[in-house]
Short mmCIF file of all heavy atoms in Angstrom, two decimals:
data_model
loop_
_atom_site.label_atom_id
_atom_site.label_comp_id
_atom_site.label_asym_id
_atom_site.label_seq_id
_atom_site.Cartn_x
_atom_site.Cartn_y
_atom_site.Cartn_z
N ALA A 512 139.62 116.83 58.80
CA ALA A 512 139.71 115.51 58.12
C ALA A 512 138.56 114.60 58.59
O ALA A 512 137.94 113.88 57.81
CB ALA A 512 141.03 114.84 58.35
N VAL A 513 138.30 114.64 59.89
CA VAL A 513 137.19 113.84 60.48
C VAL A 513 135.88 114.28 59.88
O VAL A 513 135.04 113.49 59.45
CB VAL A 513 137.16 113.91 62.00
CG1 VAL A 513 135.95 113.12 62.55
CG2 VAL A 513 138.46 113.37 62.57
N GLU A 514 135.65 115.62 59.84
CA GLU A 514 134.38 116.14 59.26
C GLU A 514 134.23 115.71 57.78
O GLU A 514 133.10 115.39 57.37
CB GLU A 514 134.33 117.64 59.43
CG GLU A 514 134.05 118.11 60.82
CD GLU A 514 132.68 117.71 61.37
OE1 GLU A 514 131.79 117.36 60.60
OE2 GLU A 514 132.53 117.78 62.59
N THR A 515 135.33 115.64 57.06
CA THR A 515 135.27 115.23 55.67
C THR A 515 134.82 113.75 55.59
O THR A 515 133.99 113.36 54.77
CB THR A 515 136.62 115.39 54.98
OG1 THR A 515 136.96 116.77 55.01
CG2 THR A 515 136.63 114.87 53.57
N VAL A 516 135.35 112.92 56.51
CA VAL A 516 134.94 111.53 56.58
C VAL A 516 133.47 111.39 56.91
O VAL A 516 132.71 110.66 56.25
CB VAL A 516 135.79 110.76 57.64
CG1 VAL A 516 135.20 109.37 57.93
CG2 VAL A 516 137.24 110.64 57.20
N LEU A 517 133.01 112.16 57.90
CA LEU A 517 131.61 112.11 58.32
C LEU A 517 130.66 112.56 57.22
O LEU A 517 129.65 111.98 56.97
CB LEU A 517 131.38 112.89 59.61
CG LEU A 517 132.20 112.42 60.81
CD1 LEU A 517 131.89 113.30 62.02
CD2 LEU A 517 131.97 110.94 61.10
N THR A 518 131.05 113.66 56.54
CA THR A 518 130.27 114.19 55.42
C THR A 518 130.16 113.09 54.34
O THR A 518 129.06 112.89 53.76
CB THR A 518 130.87 115.46 54.86
OG1 THR A 518 130.85 116.43 55.92
CG2 THR A 518 130.08 115.99 53.68
N GLY A 519 131.24 112.39 54.06
CA GLY A 519 131.23 111.33 53.08
C GLY A 519 130.34 110.19 53.48
O GLY A 519 129.59 109.65 52.63
N LEU A 520 130.39 109.76 54.74
CA LEU A 520 129.54 108.70 55.22
C LEU A 520 128.06 109.08 55.16
O LEU A 520 127.22 108.23 54.84
CB LEU A 520 129.94 108.29 56.62
CG LEU A 520 131.26 107.57 56.77
CD1 LEU A 520 131.67 107.43 58.23
CD2 LEU A 520 131.23 106.18 56.11
N ILE A 521 127.76 110.33 55.46
CA ILE A 521 126.37 110.82 55.34
C ILE A 521 125.95 110.79 53.87
O ILE A 521 124.86 110.33 53.54
CB ILE A 521 126.21 112.21 55.98
CG1 ILE A 521 126.43 112.11 57.47
CG2 ILE A 521 124.88 112.82 55.64
CD1 ILE A 521 126.62 113.44 58.18
N GLY A 522 126.83 111.29 52.99
CA GLY A 522 126.52 111.31 51.57
C GLY A 522 126.33 109.94 50.98
O GLY A 522 125.56 109.76 50.04
N GLN A 523 127.02 108.95 51.52
CA GLN A 523 126.89 107.54 51.06
C GLN A 523 125.68 106.85 51.66
O GLN A 523 125.39 105.70 51.35
CB GLN A 523 128.13 106.77 51.35
CG GLN A 523 129.37 107.20 50.61
CD GLN A 523 130.61 106.46 51.07
OE1 GLN A 523 130.78 106.13 52.23
NE2 GLN A 523 131.49 106.23 50.12
N GLY A 524 125.02 107.53 52.57
CA GLY A 524 123.83 106.93 53.24
C GLY A 524 124.20 105.93 54.30
O GLY A 524 123.38 105.06 54.67
N LEU A 525 125.39 105.99 54.88
CA LEU A 525 125.84 105.05 55.88
C LEU A 525 125.61 105.61 57.30
O LEU A 525 125.40 104.85 58.27
CB LEU A 525 127.30 104.67 55.69
CG LEU A 525 127.58 103.98 54.30
CD1 LEU A 525 129.05 103.85 54.08
CD2 LEU A 525 126.84 102.70 54.18
N LEU A 526 125.68 106.91 57.43
CA LEU A 526 125.32 107.62 58.63
C LEU A 526 124.29 108.69 58.26
O LEU A 526 124.28 109.13 57.12
CB LEU A 526 126.53 108.33 59.27
CG LEU A 526 127.61 107.49 59.92
CD1 LEU A 526 128.73 108.44 60.47
CD2 LEU A 526 127.06 106.62 61.04
N ALA A 527 123.49 109.09 59.22
CA ALA A 527 122.50 110.16 58.97
C ALA A 527 122.49 111.07 60.15
O ALA A 527 122.63 110.64 61.31
CB ALA A 527 121.11 109.55 58.72
N GLU A 528 122.27 112.35 59.91
CA GLU A 528 122.02 113.31 60.97
C GLU A 528 120.61 113.09 61.49
O GLU A 528 119.70 112.86 60.70
CB GLU A 528 122.18 114.73 60.47
CG GLU A 528 123.58 115.09 60.05
CD GLU A 528 123.70 116.49 59.46
OE1 GLU A 528 122.69 117.06 59.04
OE2 GLU A 528 124.85 116.97 59.38
N GLU A 529 120.49 113.08 62.80
CA GLU A 529 119.15 112.88 63.37
C GLU A 529 118.28 114.09 63.06
O GLU A 529 118.72 115.23 63.15
CB GLU A 529 119.25 112.63 64.88
CG GLU A 529 120.02 111.38 65.15
CD GLU A 529 119.34 110.55 66.22
OE1 GLU A 529 118.36 110.95 66.82
OE2 GLU A 529 119.83 109.40 66.38
N PRO A 530 117.04 113.87 62.66
CA PRO A 530 116.15 114.96 62.34
C PRO A 530 116.02 115.91 63.51
O PRO A 530 115.79 115.51 64.65
CB PRO A 530 114.79 114.32 62.02
CG PRO A 530 115.16 112.89 61.65
CD PRO A 530 116.39 112.57 62.44
N GLY A 531 116.26 117.23 63.22
CA GLY A 531 116.18 118.24 64.27
C GLY A 531 117.39 118.35 65.15
O GLY A 531 117.46 119.18 66.03
N ASP A 532 118.35 117.43 64.97
CA ASP A 532 119.55 117.44 65.81
C ASP A 532 120.75 117.02 64.98
O ASP A 532 121.23 115.90 65.12
CB ASP A 532 119.35 116.55 67.02
CG ASP A 532 120.50 116.68 68.05
OD1 ASP A 532 121.43 117.52 67.85
OD2 ASP A 532 120.47 115.92 69.05
N PRO A 533 121.29 117.92 64.13
CA PRO A 533 122.39 117.54 63.26
C PRO A 533 123.68 117.23 64.03
O PRO A 533 124.65 116.70 63.46
CB PRO A 533 122.58 118.76 62.36
CG PRO A 533 121.90 119.88 63.06
CD PRO A 533 120.84 119.29 63.91
N ALA A 534 123.75 117.54 65.30
CA ALA A 534 124.94 117.22 66.12
C ALA A 534 124.93 115.75 66.57
O ALA A 534 125.85 115.30 67.19
CB ALA A 534 125.02 118.13 67.32
N ARG A 535 123.84 115.05 66.24
CA ARG A 535 123.70 113.66 66.64
C ARG A 535 123.61 112.82 65.37
O ARG A 535 122.79 113.06 64.47
CB ARG A 535 122.46 113.44 67.51
CG ARG A 535 122.39 112.09 68.12
CD ARG A 535 121.54 112.16 69.43
NE ARG A 535 121.35 110.88 70.02
CZ ARG A 535 122.25 110.24 70.75
NH1 ARG A 535 123.41 110.76 70.99
NH2 ARG A 535 121.96 109.07 71.26
N LEU A 536 124.49 111.83 65.25
CA LEU A 536 124.53 110.95 64.08
C LEU A 536 123.98 109.57 64.42
O LEU A 536 124.21 109.09 65.53
CB LEU A 536 125.97 110.82 63.55
CG LEU A 536 126.64 112.12 63.12
CD1 LEU A 536 128.10 111.88 62.79
CD2 LEU A 536 125.89 112.74 61.93
N ALA A 537 123.35 108.98 63.43
CA ALA A 537 122.81 107.61 63.60
C ALA A 537 123.25 106.74 62.43
O ALA A 537 123.39 107.20 61.30
CB ALA A 537 121.28 107.66 63.67
N MET A 538 123.50 105.52 62.75
CA MET A 538 123.86 104.50 61.72
C MET A 538 122.59 104.17 60.94
O MET A 538 121.54 103.97 61.53
CB MET A 538 124.40 103.28 62.38
CG MET A 538 125.04 102.28 61.47
SD MET A 538 126.82 102.57 61.39
CE MET A 538 127.35 101.49 62.69
N THR A 539 122.71 104.18 59.64
CA THR A 539 121.58 103.80 58.82
C THR A 539 121.58 102.28 58.69
O THR A 539 122.54 101.58 59.06
CB THR A 539 121.68 104.39 57.39
OG1 THR A 539 122.83 103.82 56.75
CG2 THR A 539 121.75 105.93 57.47
N ALA A 540 120.52 101.70 58.10
CA ALA A 540 120.46 100.25 57.85
C ALA A 540 121.64 99.81 56.99
O ALA A 540 122.29 98.81 57.24
CB ALA A 540 119.14 99.88 57.19
#
């Protein structure tokens, strides 16, 4: 369920996987 939430936030452009390190997430603007 958490992964689904994270995937959704990434898809909405609210979080992003750090380039070269998908295990690290960053907040977008």
Side-chain angles (χ1 to χ4, degrees):
V513 176
E514 286 295 344
T515 299
V516 169
L517 299 181
T518 299
L520 289 170
I521 292 166
Q523 293 174 325
L525 301 172
L526 290 179
E528 293 176 342
E529 297 227 351
D532 189 3
R535 191 154 174 80
L536 300 173
M538 192 94 91
T539 65

